[in-house]
Amino acid sequence: MIELKGLILNAENWVKQLFGEDTSGHDFYHTDRVRKAARTIAEKEGADAELCELAALLHDAGDDKFHPSEEAGKQFVKRWLQKQEVTNETIEKLIDIIETVSFKGGNNRPPASLEARVVQDADRLDAIGAIGIARCFMFAGYKGEAMYHPELKPRDIITKEAYRQERSSAINHFYEKLLKLSGLMTTETGKQMARERHQFLETFLHEFFAEWEGQR
Ligand code: ADP
Ligand code: NI
């Protein structure tokens, strides 16, 4: 059986290849930041840091954005893990973490294990703060959406389909998702790390609207 350390290296190389050319906000460095944050949180929360790091590395590889369905994405990661001579128990644990991480408009089930909560918090942290803002505008550009459109109002309740398909704007995305994330952290460490990043979102919006109105 392969040690988790060796598996982490293999996973790193695999996802580097998978996300090498991505410009939609899911390049390898997104995965790498989530992995670093997951380690930080895991160590403070007393979670299994290697398992968290590994799940963080794999968390977007099976995302349904990149596959025909959620099931197809899950099987894609599972097949890779099965080639790695890792125990079925570890595979099940990793798949459970990865399945519960993605936000999907907020309609997903709550994460079962401490490790799943750690990785989910780490992924959400990367959507707020300075990096979160940068990713949001990158994504909007990639989707051909406006930076801000005063006539497009933020939506309150969003189904997964609407979240993915309807027209929106980068600024609306702050109200539909980004500003909610700090309140959705489930580990104490995640909550703490989210605080300043959340404040930065508020400061940014304040400045953005003042400039929009020509007040500065
Ligand atoms: P996830 O659903 O796993 O959070 P997404 O693909 O939805 O991942 O998001 C990738 C990045 O792009 C995140 O930083 C997210 O906040 C941002 N993003 C997602 N949807 C939009 C959108 N409609 N407009 C602007 N940014 C978005
Ligand atoms: Ni992610």
Side-chain angles (χ1 to χ4, degrees), residues 26 63 65 102-104 127 135-136 139-140 145 163-164 173 177-178:
H26 290 95
D63 196 290
K65 281 187 289 294
S102 189
F103 179 87
K104 308 280 159 57
R135 289 183 75 215
C136 178
F139 191 94
E145 279 176 355
Y163 176 66
R164 292 268 192 249
H173 192 64
K177 175 174 160 184
L178 307 190

Side-chain angles (χ1 to χ4, degrees), residues 25-26 30-31 34 56 59-60 63 65 101 123-124 126 135:
H26 290 95
H30 160 64
T31 286
V34 174
H59 86 276
D60 266 338
D63 196 290
K65 281 187 289 294
V101 166
D123 192 33
R124 286 175 169 171
D126 207 52
R135 289 183 75 215

